[in-house]
Amino acid sequence: MAKQKTVFICADHGLAIIYFLQSDVINTLLDSGVRVVLLTHEGLIDQIKARFAHQGLLVEGLRYDDCQKYASSVQPGLQFWSNFVRRVGASSKINTEAMDSHIRQVEAEVQGRQRLVLPLARMAIGVMRHSRLARRSLVKWQMRFCPGLYADLFEKYSPDLVVSSTYGWRNDRYLLREAVRRGVKTGAVIVGWDNPSSYGVPAAPLDFVTCWSEIQKKELVDGSDWDPEKVNIGGIPSYDGYFRKEWLIPRDEYFKLHDLDPKRKLISYASSFVSFSPNYQNIEALANLVANDRLSKPSQLLIRLHPNHFMDEPLFIGEREKIRALASQLPHVHVVEPVALGGDLGHYSGEDMPEKTSMMAYSDVFTTVYSTMCVETAIHNRPIVSVCFDAPGGWNKKGKFSLPLSEIGEWPTHQRFRKAGAGRVALDEASLEDVLNAYLEDPSLDSDLREKFIRDEVTYTDGSAGRRTGQWLLSLLENGSVKVEEAE
């Protein structure tokens, strides 16, 4: 009798939980008789076991504390700086604007003697950007940081395949390196829209990666040196539920949930980019336009707070409370919070999908700061505005990096959104009022461009990405080689 195949899946953050567990990826593997072991945050083990145990899913802890202890005790400076250089050291053949901003952030926030390392890091990044040999050498060199934290799990389950939700820029780097050391076929899935353009080369010599689109594949090949034959285009399983309309709450029920007026147009705002800039200036402008009835149609504002607003950071907490206070003072202004998942996963939750879906689907105009929700809202074909007001002084705190929102339009995903014409950009209150009124008067404006934008960015628009990705992972088990399924 043939040995049952076993797959390790590393889902170490909330978006990964959605990717694997709120789609058909894991079910496709389980239905084919594969044993799946999900490695996740210890605080989520009981929840996931209770929900999925009947399907045969096994759950183990990712050992966050052990990972952090190793990172902070074994040559911590060398680990930090080599990870930093690897993250931002992608080839200059691709648009590196997002990585360049991260470099500026580290330069602004690094403290003490570590500032002495900055010139060396800059030199190393410069070499990495122009040398494939340097990038590959760093990947191989970092294999020395392989503490063997999961030896017992590899011995217990003998996995045939290890799949992670990143290619090693989080704690998953230790799991991936151990799998490579043991000769287990190992790779990653691309969970986030901006991942291939925001993170450099892998943490180990990996065997495969599956991404959303031809656009992302080109970024992976040109920027991070992936072999084109080892890059699969599988779409984005996390969005299958949008295309299949699985999570939509009935409109009257959703409006009642947030005390919204069904007779007023709904302007929504999803907070974004909080790590780099306050959002309050955007929200205040929108709230005043709505509360003072300055738009062409009576409207209301629903503000979605960002998960970072719930971090233990006084700046973010302060903005959260200012937003709540503003909503309590002005008419027709409401606030919704992302659901907390628990552990270190914060407020990214699969349980939040009905809320997100309904907010986007029922918005007469959706606004944000170039969030990934621009893609998600385009799936619902609703008008989109990226609101990019600069906050004077940024976060106004010494040692805290701020980035003017007017400067981020050339980031790769932001640039594609603008060039596609999938939405509009507002840099001041006058342009914001104009574009909101344009969309309120004609919701079909830019509709065709939004539809093309989605086809280009996510490839599969029929809700099949999870099944396709699961089948592709099965092909790796069955054939022992990477099989690339061409986009239809």
Side-chain angles (χ1 to χ4, degrees):
M1 184 176 178
K3 170 183 171 289
Q4 184 184 28
K5 298 289 188 179
T6 298
V7 176
F8 277 7
I9 289 180
C10 176
D12 73 336
H13 56 94
L15 296 178
I17 295 290
I18 298 168
Y19 184 102
F20 290 112
L21 295 180
Q22 295 284 316
S23 76
D24 295 328
V25 175
I26 282 182
N27 285 339
T28 299
L29 297 172
L30 292 172
D31 290 347
S32 297
V34 172
R35 180 170 63 169
V36 177
V37 182
L38 182 79
L39 286 83
T40 191
H41 191 276
E42 282 74 5
L44 296 178
I45 291 177
D46 290 341
Q47 295 178 47
I48 293 175
K49 279 184 175 179
R51 184 166 178 177
F52 295 97
H54 67 284
Q55 295 173 279
L57 178 68
L58 302 172
V59 188
E60 296 280 359
L62 264 173
R63 303 173 181 180
Y64 271 51
D65 290 345
D66 292 339
C67 291
Q68 293 302 319
K69 181 179 179 180
Y70 179 78
S72 62
S73 61
V74 178
Q75 296 182 288
L78 202 54
Q79 286 202 63
F80 171 83
W81 285 107
S82 61
N83 284 334
F84 168 63
V85 168
R86 177 169 60 84
R87 170 178 172 174
V88 298
S91 170
S92 58
K93 291 180 181 178
I94 67 169
N95 181 336
T96 62
E97 287 286 336
M99 287 180 273
D100 293 344
S101 292
H102 184 64
I103 294 171
R104 292 169 57 193
Q105 181 181 19
V106 170
E107 289 177 338
E109 295 183 351
V110 73
Q111 300 291 321
R113 283 195 226 171
Q114 293 222 325
R115 296 194 63 81
L116 299 175
V117 184
L118 285 172
L120 293 175
R122 269 285 191 182
M123 289 174 57
I125 294 165
V127 173
M128 291 273 287
R129 290 278 175 90
H130 296 92
S131 171
R132 184 175 185 177
L133 177 62
R135 294 190 293 272
R136 288 189 167 184
S137 297
L138 179 59
V139 172
K140 291 178 181 178
W141 180 85
Q142 281 198 318
M143 283 293 294
R144 69 189 60 206
F145 296 115
C146 182
L149 301 177
Y150 307 98
D152 59 320
L153 296 183
F154 278 92
E155 291 161 10
K156 177 179 179 180
Y157 294 110
S158 298
D160 302 278
L161 187 68
V162 174
V163 184
S164 182
S165 54
T166 86
Y167 41 85
W169 58 81
R170 296 168 65 86
N171 287 332
D172 61 335
R173 60 188 180 272
Y174 301 126
L175 175 69
L176 293 173
R177 288 171 187 157
E178 187 160 354
V180 170
R181 279 258 175 99
R182 291 173 177 268
V184 180
K185 183 173 291 185
T186 307
V189 303
I190 299 298
V191 170
W193 184 33
D194 65 345
N195 289 173
S197 60
S198 295
Y199 299 91
V201 292
L206 305 183
D207 296 308
F208 64 85
V209 63
T210 183
C211 63
W212 299 20
S213 63
E214 286 284 358
I215 296 170
Q216 286 193 344
K217 179 175 179 177
K218 184 171 176 55
E219 290 176 326
L220 290 165
V221 171
D222 291 348
S224 304
D225 306 317
W226 287 89
D227 179 346
E229 294 300 313
K230 295 182 178 181
V231 181
N232 179 59
I233 297 172
I236 171 62
S238 309
Y239 296 170
D240 283 351
Y242 293 145
F243 290 113
R244 300 195 297 230
K245 301 187 185 303
E246 291 178 346
W247 299 311
L248 196 61
I249 301 171
R251 186 177 186 275
D252 57 347
E253 184 180 327
Y254 183 73
F255 272 52
K256 188 177 295 184
L257 179 66
H258 296 300
D259 197 28
L260 299 172
D261 184 344
K263 296 179 181 178
R264 283 183 168 262
K265 299 293 184 180
L266 178 61
I267 312 293
S268 62
Y269 180 85
S271 300
S272 180
F273 238 77
V274 175
S275 296
F276 287 101
S277 169
N279 273 218
Y280 187 77
Q281 69 281 2
N282 295 341
I283 293 168
E284 186 178 41
L286 286 162
N288 286 329
L289 287 172
V290 165
N292 296 319
D293 281 327
R294 288 170 50 193
L295 298 175
S296 62
K297 295 183 183 296
S299 301
Q300 58 200 323
L301 176 65
L302 180 61
I303 306 156
R304 179 180 171 87
L305 297 175
H306 192 274
N308 285 1
H309 281 129
F310 299 87
M311 292 174 62
D312 186 19
E313 164 54 63
L315 292 174
F316 303 161
I317 294 171
E319 178 169 89
R320 180 188 73 200
E321 296 310 311
K322 281 180 68 177
I323 292 169
R324 286 174 171 169
L326 184 72
S328 69
Q329 295 163 8
L330 295 179
H332 313 303
V333 178
H334 310 264
V335 176
V336 62
E337 299 181 3
V339 177
L341 187 55
D344 287 348
L345 299 180
H347 282 66
Y348 283 108
S349 171
E351 305 304 322
D352 203 26
M353 298 309 281
E355 168 61 45
K356 282 180 62 181
T357 303
S358 303
M359 178 181 184
M360 292 182 288
Y362 300 132
S363 291
D364 292 283
V365 186
F366 174 84
T367 65
T368 186
V369 184
Y370 291 119
S371 164
T372 303
M373 288 180 74
C374 289
V375 180
E376 297 168 80
T377 303
I379 291 173
H380 296 86
N381 206 355
R382 306 308 301 154
I384 306 163
V385 181
S386 185
V387 187
C388 297
F389 292 13
D390 290 338
W395 278 115
N396 281 312
K397 179 182 177 181
K398 186 178 179 180
K400 177 70 180 79
F401 177 67
S402 292
L403 188 63
L405 295 180
S406 62
E407 297 181 9
I408 63 175
E410 294 304 318
W411 284 32
T413 50
H414 307 174
Q415 185 185 75
R416 296 204 302 268
F417 170 78
R418 291 188 302 104
K419 289 187 174 181
R424 308 292 176 90
V425 180
L427 300 177
D428 53 48
E429 193 164 323
S431 62
L432 177 61
E433 184 174 350
D434 287 345
V435 72
L436 288 175
N437 284 334
Y439 278 137
L440 289 173
E441 294 297 330
D442 184 4
S444 68
L445 207 60
D446 304 325
S447 177
D448 291 347
L449 296 174
R450 287 192 292 272
E451 290 179 352
K452 183 181 185 303
F453 174 65
I454 286 303
R455 292 194 298 272
D456 291 344
E457 293 291 343
V458 307
T459 307
Y460 299 111
T461 61
D462 58 357
S464 67
R467 173 181 57 79
R468 289 174 182 274
T469 300
Q471 290 175 341
W472 178 73
L473 293 174
L474 285 173
S475 77
L476 300 183
L477 290 170
E478 294 165 359
N479 301 328
S481 61
V482 176
K483 175 186 174 183
V484 179
E485 180 181 2
E486 294 298 328
E488 294 177 354

